[in-house]
Amino acid sequence: MRKRITVIGSYNTDLVSKAPHLPRPGETVLGGPFIMGPGGKGSNQAICSARLGAEVYFIGCVGNDNFGEMAKDFLLKENVKIDYLKVTDKTHTGIALILVDDKTGENMIVVAPGANMGVTIEQIKEVKDIIMNSDVILLQLEIPIETVSYVLDLVFRKDKPLSILNPAPARNLDKNIIEKADIVTPNRNELEIITGIKIETLEDVEKASRELISYGVKGVIVTLGKDGAFVVTNRECKHIPSFKMEVVDTTGAGDAFNGGLAVALSEGKDLISSVIFASVVAGLSVTKIGAASSMPYREEVERFLKEYSN
Ligand code: RIB
């Protein structure tokens, strides 16, 4: 039986250009090529989970415009269930302006959230059964914080679903929101902002992660880009190095990691094996340009894991 993952989050149309270097303030850089495609942390994580074999519901909100129509087409083509995707007349579909450094694959992103701010508590009340009948739920911070908080309240201390909070993009979050998540997956910058602890070394990562564990979170997984991931629970603390891949574009790598993690945990893998699986998913995603379009399929991940273990 396929496991059910429900993603409550954002959809953005990504407008992407590569550039020989990322511009400084006031600078114009000739770049290209230009690519337009599906993005948004929530939708990327949903598409990733679906490509890896889960049954996926996406709870989000798009505008009543061309980009909103494209969103529906993309998500349906990727086998993501959009029965509860809201369409609003009030504002535009979310947009992300993305620049990718041709040499390093690093990016700069500005998001105009538009319709994503229409993912309301009212909408969640209507999909309560879908959420409660999921194996895993995935949340990020490109929708209103009060909606994220409401969802975490709904599932807090229930056997199912397991909740994963990816606190991205970095925003100040109250302790009483974070403490309700089962698993929290910040990157270095997000960890620094939510704990107030300066992150320079792995010791700092461990210290800040332990702070989140002291709130009551069951597991903290810090994504460290090319340096891998750091896992802290009450019982273990482990650094998992990344897999060496050819980096083309890092956009969406964190989303790939969270999608992979959700799928592995939903299938009953232990935390460390799930993080290794998620690291392969993230690693494969950076070898292609784009966000949702770079998410790997299950066969690619299994093939990589098989070749790696030989
Ligand atoms: O994590 C990458 C995503 O961040 C992009 O797809 C963009 O839409 C922003 O939400």
Side-chain angles (χ1 to χ4, degrees):
M1 255 256 286
R2 286 201 305 157
K3 298 297 177 182
R4 181 186 288 177
I5 294 174
T6 298
V7 182
I8 301 105
S10 57
Y11 174 89
N12 296 323
T13 301
D14 286 355
L15 307 178
V16 187
S17 180
K18 283 210 153 197
H21 64 264
L22 298 175
R24 288 177 295 277
E27 187 187 11
T28 300
V29 175
L30 283 184
F34 165 72
I35 297 166
M36 182 171 81
K41 296 184 192 303
S43 171
N44 293 343
Q45 295 180 18
I47 289 174
C48 181
S49 305
R51 286 190 177 187
L52 295 173
E55 178 194 46
V56 182
Y57 279 88
F58 177 60
I59 313 296
C61 181
V62 294
N64 188 10
D65 49 26
N66 287 343
F67 286 155
E69 284 304 313
M70 280 163 57
K72 288 193 259 174
D73 289 347
F74 281 131
L75 287 158
L76 280 178
K77 237 185 259 156
E78 294 287 347
N79 294 315
V80 173
K81 294 187 188 299
I82 56 165
D83 316 44
Y84 306 102
L85 176 67
K86 190 167 123 185
V87 178
T88 180
D89 283 318
K90 289 190 189 139
T91 181
H92 61 85
T93 298
I95 299 284
L97 306 172
I98 304 180
L99 300 176
V100 179
D101 186 314
D102 225 348
K103 291 193 195 75
T104 64
E106 284 175 327
N107 60 51
M108 284 169 90
I109 305 181
V110 174
V111 172
N116 292 309
M117 289 300 141
V119 183
T120 56
I121 291 174
E122 286 317 305
Q123 184 182 358
I124 301 302
K125 284 182 183 161
E126 286 162 24
V127 294
K128 192 174 160 207
D129 286 352
I130 296 288
I131 290 175
M132 298 316 289
N133 288 310
S134 302
D135 295 288
V136 174
I137 59 161
L138 262 170
L139 292 150
Q140 321 73 30
L141 302 179
E142 284 184 332
I143 59 171
I145 298 278
E146 58 270 23
T147 306
V148 172
S149 174
Y150 183 82
V151 175
L152 288 172
D153 272 333
L154 267 185
V155 302
F156 185 49
R157 295 237 166 97
K158 303 278 188 310
D159 283 347
K160 240 176 69 170
L162 180 88
S163 59
I164 302 179
L165 172 62
N166 172 218
R171 286 170 78 170
N172 266 321
L173 263 192
D174 279 354
K175 176 172 177 277
N176 64 8
I177 297 178
I178 302 168
E179 68 187 9
K180 294 192 197 98
D182 292 320
I183 309 277
V184 183
T185 59
N187 63 19
R188 273 183 252 242
N189 180 33
E190 291 146 10
L191 183 64
E192 182 165 317
I193 287 182
I194 56 187
T195 61
I197 295 171
K198 185 117 195 76
I199 308 289
E200 274 160 0
T201 63
L202 281 184
E203 285 71 38
D204 301 331
V205 171
E206 180 178 346
K207 183 174 165 208
S209 301
R210 289 203 185 281
E211 171 84 8
L212 297 185
I213 294 291
S214 78
Y215 295 177
V217 171
K218 290 186 203 146
V220 178
I221 301 159
V222 186
T223 53
L224 302 168
K226 64 177 174 23
D227 296 326
F230 202 85
V231 184
V232 180
T233 69
N234 257 332
R235 281 168 297 138
E236 59 194 339
C237 174
K238 203 168 162 91
H239 179 210
I240 315 266
S242 65
F243 295 89
K244 286 254 162 312
M245 305 275 183
E246 193 201 328
V247 181
V248 172
D249 177 9
T250 58
T251 311
D255 302 329
F257 185 93
N258 279 278
L261 182 72
V263 169
L265 289 172
S266 75
E267 293 176 0
K269 290 190 172 49
D270 63 52
L271 192 59
I272 298 296
S273 312
S274 298
V275 172
I276 293 171
F277 183 88
S279 302
V280 173
V281 177
L284 290 172
S285 80
V286 305
T287 62
K288 296 184 201 129
I289 190 157
S293 52
S294 71
M295 299 300 161
Y297 289 89
R298 185 66 179 243
E299 308 78 73
E300 296 172 69
V301 179
E302 297 297 350
R303 200 181 319 126
F304 182 91
L305 281 167
K306 201 165 157 211
E307 277 165 18
Y308 194 80
S309 66
N310 285 333

